[in-house]
Amino acid sequence: MNVYPQPAIALVGEMEAAALAQPDLAVALQGAPGCNGHRAALEYDGDCLPLPCFSFEDALEAVKEGRAARAIIPIENSQHGRVADIHFLLPESGLSIVGEHFMPIHHALMALPGAKGPFKAAYSHPQALGQSRHYLRERGIVPMAYADTAGAAALVREAGDPASCAIAPKLAAELYGLDIIEQNVEDASDNTTRFVVLAREPLDPFDLRDQPAMTTFIFEVKNIAAALYKALGGFATNGVNMTKLESYQIGASFAATTFYADIEGAPGDPRVDTALQELAFHCKYVRPLGSYRRARARG
């Protein structure tokens, strides 16, 4: 059963056929053609063959099964924070992060040809709705969550309701024959999403020597007083910059907190090696998710 709206089905089929014919060039992404993941894949690698997948799990599964060499997945947004479920999905996937890409996000409000409003409902991915929440609230438009931005545009086209609109990239309006009512409806002009690129095999940290690099990992500290403080001390004493530290719960006990972290540098750097060794001493486990070239300067 096809889960895409009818206007997207033919485009998805064409892109799937091209990607499956050359899986080494395929980059799996979540969403219908025209979504931000589609844009990100082409910006990251202009020669790739984007492979649309309905869910994040489907995109990761395509890489695991060899139908795509890589996946590109949004992980966080400057305005709306962490993308839901990603911190659970990445470790569970068994894939490794091999790159990152930062992309400015500009949303357009689009509707059926000739529709002028007022609009009652706006369909889009929850992230896009959150990034445009002030715009929608000021106009009395009810946000309606959908699986992805471009799929929401295709849904509006399929439904044929002139009182409905979608928030999606400009490309989606072109693909699905919608009129752009207003551009740049995001609430912040510097709205940016960070994507990570995943593959079946990790990069060799040796290949990242003399390059600005990032390393991502998860860990769980021992359940003793000041364990987190002690675990992180090694990064400070060894001069390793930690650019992200987030916590999330696994299971229902609320006693075992898992931490997700990004640091500058990669194994092979003596400072990083020492800091990670000190971290491991205070942890139940440390699990690397990948080392990769840093896409831009932090700070």
Side-chain angles (χ1 to χ4, degrees), residues 7-297:
I9 291 176
L11 287 172
V12 170
E14 292 172 7
M15 294 172 68
E16 282 181 343
L20 294 177
Q22 300 184 76
D24 288 348
L25 297 179
V27 175
L29 56 102
Q30 185 270 331
C35 67
N36 283 310
H38 186 178
R39 285 184 52 220
L42 293 175
E43 285 188 12
Y44 182 77
D45 181 359
D47 295 324
C48 79
L49 295 172
L51 174 61
C53 301
F54 189 77
S55 69
F56 291 126
E57 293 96 327
D58 293 339
L60 299 175
E61 196 67 27
V63 178
K64 292 166 65 176
E65 294 176 352
R67 292 182 286 117
R70 295 166 292 175
I72 189 162
I73 300 293
I75 192 167
E76 59 187 319
N77 175 263
S78 61
Q79 186 180 345
H80 201 58
R82 178 199 301 174
V83 176
D85 296 335
I86 287 300
H87 287 33
F88 294 100
L89 294 175
L90 294 188
E92 291 173 359
S93 73
L95 303 177
S96 296
I97 302 175
V98 296
E100 64 176 355
H101 178 67
F102 292 85
M103 188 173 77
I105 302 295
H106 299 292
H107 299 301
L109 189 79
M110 56 193 69
L112 293 173
K116 303 296 183 184
F119 299 107
K120 295 181 179 179
Y123 292 85
S124 196
H125 187 275
Q127 279 275 331
L129 295 173
Q131 293 159 26
S132 309
R133 64 186 182 277
H134 296 305
Y135 175 91
L136 295 174
R137 186 175 180 84
E138 288 169 0
R139 289 157 181 79
I141 303 174
V142 178
M144 301 293 289
Y146 193 71
D148 71 280
T149 54
L155 180 69
V156 167
R157 181 68 190 196
E158 181 181 49
D161 181 2
S164 295
C165 58
I167 291 178
K170 178 182 176 182
L171 176 59
E174 299 170 2
L175 291 176
Y176 303 118
L178 298 177
D179 285 351
I180 293 180
I181 307 302
E182 189 172 351
Q183 297 200 54
N184 301 328
V185 300
E186 64 277 1
D187 294 328
S189 59
D190 60 352
N191 190 28
T192 302
T193 293
R194 179 191 180 208
F195 291 80
V196 291
V197 180
L198 297 114
R200 289 183 295 279
E201 298 296 331
L203 296 179
D204 186 342
F206 184 79
D207 295 335
L208 296 169
R209 68 191 189 283
D210 302 324
Q211 297 184 46
M214 297 292 297
T215 295
T216 298
F217 54 91
I218 59 173
F219 64 94
E220 182 183 333
V221 295
K222 297 175 182 177
N223 191 21
I224 57 175
L228 180 61
Y229 173 81
K230 295 175 182 177
L232 297 182
F235 296 99
T237 56
N238 288 283
V240 176
N241 187 28
M242 179 171 285
T243 61
K244 175 177 284 295
L245 179 65
E246 292 187 354
S247 64
Y248 61 101
Q249 296 290 331
I250 295 179
S253 69
F254 292 94
T257 300
T258 299
F259 293 89
Y260 173 101
D262 290 334
I263 60 170
E264 293 182 351
D269 179 331
R271 300 174 305 129
V272 172
D273 290 342
T274 302
L276 290 175
Q277 288 170 6
E278 292 186 31
L279 173 69
F281 180 80
H282 298 285
C283 289
K284 294 181 179 179
Y285 67 84
V286 178
R287 180 177 172 186
L289 297 182
S291 296
Y292 46 94
R293 182 176 175 81
R294 193 169 72 217
R296 71 177 187 185

